[in-house]
Amino acid sequence: QVQLVESGGGLVQAGGSLRLSCAASGSIFSLNTMAWFRQAPGKQRELVAGTSGGRTNYAESVKGRFTISTDNVKNTLYLQMNSLKPEDTAVYYCAARPVPWGGYVYWGQGTQVTVSS
């Protein structure tokens, strides 16, 4: 069974930075087919950043500010968040999928990110 454990969330002022980590364990997964999602109060869950086949993609709202990366030795997925805005406030989730064309089926517990104005 695949398990994803997140850390790094917290409270930060607008303009600040945070780095989220997602430690992956188990089998039937790949760090190359993983993503970060977020869900803010009253809003739908949205894909923030993803990686697949060596490529990365970002939501328009975070392009130029967020960076997704992997460390295969540590088996960890990261999300570096810079120039944070109050609208970035949300619960952030790490997710994985067995194949690039499939759905995300493995999820972390989520970590709260709060950006004050």
Short mmCIF file of all heavy atoms in Angstrom, two decimals, residues 67-94:
data_model
loop_
_atom_site.label_atom_id
_atom_site.label_comp_id
_atom_site.label_asym_id
_atom_site.label_seq_id
_atom_site.Cartn_x
_atom_site.Cartn_y
_atom_site.Cartn_z
N THR A 67 7.32 25.94 -7.34
CA THR A 67 8.14 24.99 -8.06
C THR A 67 7.99 23.59 -7.47
O THR A 67 8.18 23.41 -6.27
CB THR A 67 9.63 25.38 -8.02
OG1 THR A 67 9.80 26.70 -8.55
CG2 THR A 67 10.45 24.40 -8.86
N ILE A 68 7.64 22.62 -8.31
CA ILE A 68 7.53 21.24 -7.88
C ILE A 68 8.83 20.52 -8.22
O ILE A 68 9.41 20.74 -9.28
CB ILE A 68 6.32 20.54 -8.53
CG1 ILE A 68 6.11 19.14 -7.92
CG2 ILE A 68 6.46 20.46 -10.04
CD1 ILE A 68 4.82 18.47 -8.37
N SER A 69 9.30 19.67 -7.32
CA SER A 69 10.54 18.94 -7.56
C SER A 69 10.50 17.61 -6.81
O SER A 69 9.67 17.40 -5.93
CB SER A 69 11.75 19.77 -7.13
OG SER A 69 11.72 20.03 -5.74
N THR A 70 11.43 16.72 -7.17
CA THR A 70 11.50 15.41 -6.53
C THR A 70 12.92 15.09 -6.11
O THR A 70 13.88 15.58 -6.71
CB THR A 70 11.00 14.29 -7.45
OG1 THR A 70 11.80 14.25 -8.64
CG2 THR A 70 9.54 14.51 -7.85
N ASP A 71 13.05 14.28 -5.09
CA ASP A 71 14.33 13.76 -4.64
C ASP A 71 14.16 12.25 -4.59
O ASP A 71 13.56 11.72 -3.66
CB ASP A 71 14.71 14.31 -3.27
CG ASP A 71 16.10 13.90 -2.84
OD1 ASP A 71 16.55 12.79 -3.20
OD2 ASP A 71 16.77 14.69 -2.14
N ASN A 72 14.68 11.56 -5.60
CA ASN A 72 14.49 10.12 -5.70
C ASN A 72 15.24 9.33 -4.63
O ASN A 72 14.85 8.23 -4.26
CB ASN A 72 14.89 9.63 -7.09
CG ASN A 72 13.97 10.13 -8.17
OD1 ASN A 72 12.76 10.25 -7.97
ND2 ASN A 72 14.53 10.42 -9.34
N VAL A 73 16.33 9.90 -4.13
CA VAL A 73 17.10 9.24 -3.08
C VAL A 73 16.30 9.24 -1.79
O VAL A 73 16.22 8.23 -1.09
CB VAL A 73 18.46 9.92 -2.87
CG1 VAL A 73 19.20 9.28 -1.69
CG2 VAL A 73 19.30 9.81 -4.12
N LYS A 74 15.71 10.38 -1.46
CA LYS A 74 14.91 10.50 -0.24
C LYS A 74 13.47 10.07 -0.45
O LYS A 74 12.69 10.03 0.50
CB LYS A 74 14.95 11.93 0.27
CG LYS A 74 16.33 12.41 0.70
CD LYS A 74 16.27 13.83 1.22
CE LYS A 74 17.64 14.30 1.69
NZ LYS A 74 17.59 15.70 2.20
N ASN A 75 13.11 9.78 -1.71
CA ASN A 75 11.75 9.38 -2.05
C ASN A 75 10.74 10.43 -1.58
O ASN A 75 9.72 10.11 -0.95
CB ASN A 75 11.42 8.02 -1.42
CG ASN A 75 10.60 7.13 -2.33
OD1 ASN A 75 10.71 7.20 -3.55
ND2 ASN A 75 9.78 6.28 -1.74
N THR A 76 11.03 11.67 -1.92
CA THR A 76 10.24 12.79 -1.44
C THR A 76 9.88 13.76 -2.55
O THR A 76 10.69 14.04 -3.44
CB THR A 76 10.99 13.55 -0.33
OG1 THR A 76 11.27 12.65 0.75
CG2 THR A 76 10.16 14.71 0.20
N LEU A 77 8.66 14.25 -2.50
CA LEU A 77 8.16 15.27 -3.42
C LEU A 77 8.13 16.60 -2.68
O LEU A 77 7.76 16.65 -1.50
CB LEU A 77 6.76 14.91 -3.90
CG LEU A 77 6.06 15.89 -4.85
CD1 LEU A 77 6.67 15.78 -6.24
CD2 LEU A 77 4.57 15.60 -4.90
N TYR A 78 8.50 17.69 -3.36
CA TYR A 78 8.53 19.00 -2.74
C TYR A 78 7.68 20.00 -3.51
O TYR A 78 7.46 19.87 -4.71
CB TYR A 78 9.95 19.54 -2.67
CG TYR A 78 10.91 18.70 -1.88
CD1 TYR A 78 11.77 17.81 -2.52
CD2 TYR A 78 10.96 18.78 -0.49
CE1 TYR A 78 12.66 17.04 -1.80
CE2 TYR A 78 11.85 18.01 0.24
CZ TYR A 78 12.70 17.14 -0.42
OH TYR A 78 13.58 16.37 0.30
N LEU A 79 7.25 21.02 -2.80
CA LEU A 79 6.61 22.17 -3.43
C LEU A 79 7.19 23.42 -2.78
O LEU A 79 6.89 23.71 -1.62
CB LEU A 79 5.09 22.14 -3.26
CG LEU A 79 4.35 23.30 -3.95
CD1 LEU A 79 4.49 23.18 -5.47
CD2 LEU A 79 2.88 23.32 -3.56
N GLN A 80 8.03 24.13 -3.51
CA GLN A 80 8.59 25.38 -3.04
C GLN A 80 7.63 26.49 -3.41
O GLN A 80 7.31 26.68 -4.58
CB GLN A 80 9.96 25.64 -3.67
CG GLN A 80 10.60 26.95 -3.25
CD GLN A 80 10.95 26.99 -1.78
OE1 GLN A 80 11.54 26.04 -1.26
NE2 GLN A 80 10.58 28.06 -1.10
N MET A 81 7.16 27.23 -2.42
CA MET A 81 6.19 28.29 -2.63
C MET A 81 6.81 29.63 -2.23
O MET A 81 7.15 29.84 -1.07
CB MET A 81 4.92 28.03 -1.82
CG MET A 81 4.29 26.66 -2.08
SD MET A 81 2.72 26.43 -1.20
CE MET A 81 3.32 26.42 0.50
N ASN A 82 6.94 30.51 -3.20
CA ASN A 82 7.50 31.84 -2.97
C ASN A 82 6.47 32.91 -3.27
O ASN A 82 5.46 32.66 -3.93
CB ASN A 82 8.73 32.06 -3.86
CG ASN A 82 9.86 31.10 -3.57
OD1 ASN A 82 10.09 30.70 -2.43
ND2 ASN A 82 10.58 30.72 -4.62
N SER A 83 6.73 34.11 -2.79
CA SER A 83 5.83 35.25 -3.01
C SER A 83 4.39 34.89 -2.70
O SER A 83 3.47 35.16 -3.49
CB SER A 83 5.96 35.74 -4.46
OG SER A 83 7.28 36.12 -4.76
N LEU A 84 4.18 34.29 -1.56
CA LEU A 84 2.86 33.82 -1.18
C LEU A 84 1.85 34.96 -1.03
O LEU A 84 2.19 36.05 -0.58
CB LEU A 84 2.94 33.01 0.11
CG LEU A 84 3.51 31.60 -0.06
CD1 LEU A 84 3.95 31.03 1.27
CD2 LEU A 84 2.46 30.70 -0.71
N LYS A 85 0.62 34.67 -1.42
CA LYS A 85 -0.48 35.62 -1.36
C LYS A 85 -1.58 35.06 -0.45
O LYS A 85 -1.68 33.85 -0.28
CB LYS A 85 -1.06 35.85 -2.75
CG LYS A 85 -0.04 36.30 -3.79
CD LYS A 85 -0.68 36.38 -5.17
CE LYS A 85 0.33 36.82 -6.21
NZ LYS A 85 -0.28 36.89 -7.57
N PRO A 86 -2.41 35.92 0.11
CA PRO A 86 -3.51 35.44 0.95
C PRO A 86 -4.40 34.42 0.25
O PRO A 86 -4.90 33.50 0.89
CB PRO A 86 -4.29 36.72 1.28
CG PRO A 86 -3.24 37.78 1.28
CD PRO A 86 -2.33 37.40 0.13
N GLU A 87 -4.58 34.56 -1.06
CA GLU A 87 -5.40 33.62 -1.82
C GLU A 87 -4.77 32.24 -1.96
O GLU A 87 -5.40 31.31 -2.46
CB GLU A 87 -5.75 34.18 -3.20
CG GLU A 87 -4.56 34.71 -3.98
CD GLU A 87 -4.41 36.21 -3.85
OE1 GLU A 87 -4.51 36.73 -2.72
OE2 GLU A 87 -4.19 36.88 -4.88
N ASP A 88 -3.52 32.09 -1.53
CA ASP A 88 -2.87 30.78 -1.52
C ASP A 88 -3.26 29.97 -0.29
O ASP A 88 -2.92 28.79 -0.18
CB ASP A 88 -1.35 30.92 -1.56
CG ASP A 88 -0.85 31.50 -2.87
OD1 ASP A 88 -1.37 31.12 -3.94
OD2 ASP A 88 0.08 32.33 -2.83
N THR A 89 -3.95 30.61 0.64
CA THR A 89 -4.39 29.93 1.86
C THR A 89 -5.29 28.75 1.51
O THR A 89 -6.30 28.91 0.83
CB THR A 89 -5.13 30.89 2.78
OG1 THR A 89 -4.23 31.92 3.22
CG2 THR A 89 -5.68 30.16 4.00
N ALA A 90 -4.92 27.57 1.97
CA ALA A 90 -5.66 26.36 1.66
C ALA A 90 -5.02 25.17 2.36
O ALA A 90 -3.94 25.28 2.93
CB ALA A 90 -5.69 26.11 0.15
N VAL A 91 -5.71 24.04 2.30
CA VAL A 91 -5.11 22.78 2.72
C VAL A 91 -4.47 22.19 1.47
O VAL A 91 -5.12 22.04 0.44
CB VAL A 91 -6.15 21.80 3.29
CG1 VAL A 91 -5.49 20.46 3.62
CG2 VAL A 91 -6.80 22.38 4.54
N TYR A 92 -3.20 21.88 1.56
CA TYR A 92 -2.46 21.35 0.43
C TYR A 92 -2.29 19.84 0.57
O TYR A 92 -1.91 19.34 1.62
CB TYR A 92 -1.09 22.02 0.33
CG TYR A 92 -1.16 23.42 -0.23
CD1 TYR A 92 -1.71 24.45 0.52
CD2 TYR A 92 -0.70 23.70 -1.51
CE1 TYR A 92 -1.80 25.73 0.00
CE2 TYR A 92 -0.78 24.98 -2.04
CZ TYR A 92 -1.33 26.00 -1.27
OH TYR A 92 -1.41 27.26 -1.79
N TYR A 93 -2.55 19.13 -0.53
CA TYR A 93 -2.49 17.67 -0.54
C TYR A 93 -1.48 17.17 -1.56
O TYR A 93 -1.41 17.66 -2.68
CB TYR A 93 -3.85 17.07 -0.89
CG TYR A 93 -4.95 17.39 0.08
CD1 TYR A 93 -5.75 18.51 -0.09
CD2 TYR A 93 -5.21 16.56 1.16
CE1 TYR A 93 -6.78 18.81 0.79
CE2 TYR A 93 -6.22 16.84 2.05
CZ TYR A 93 -7.01 17.97 1.86
OH TYR A 93 -8.02 18.25 2.74
N CYS A 94 -0.74 16.17 -1.18
CA CYS A 94 0.14 15.44 -2.08
C CYS A 94 -0.64 14.28 -2.67
O CYS A 94 -1.41 13.63 -1.96
CB CYS A 94 1.36 14.94 -1.30
SG CYS A 94 2.43 13.81 -2.19
#
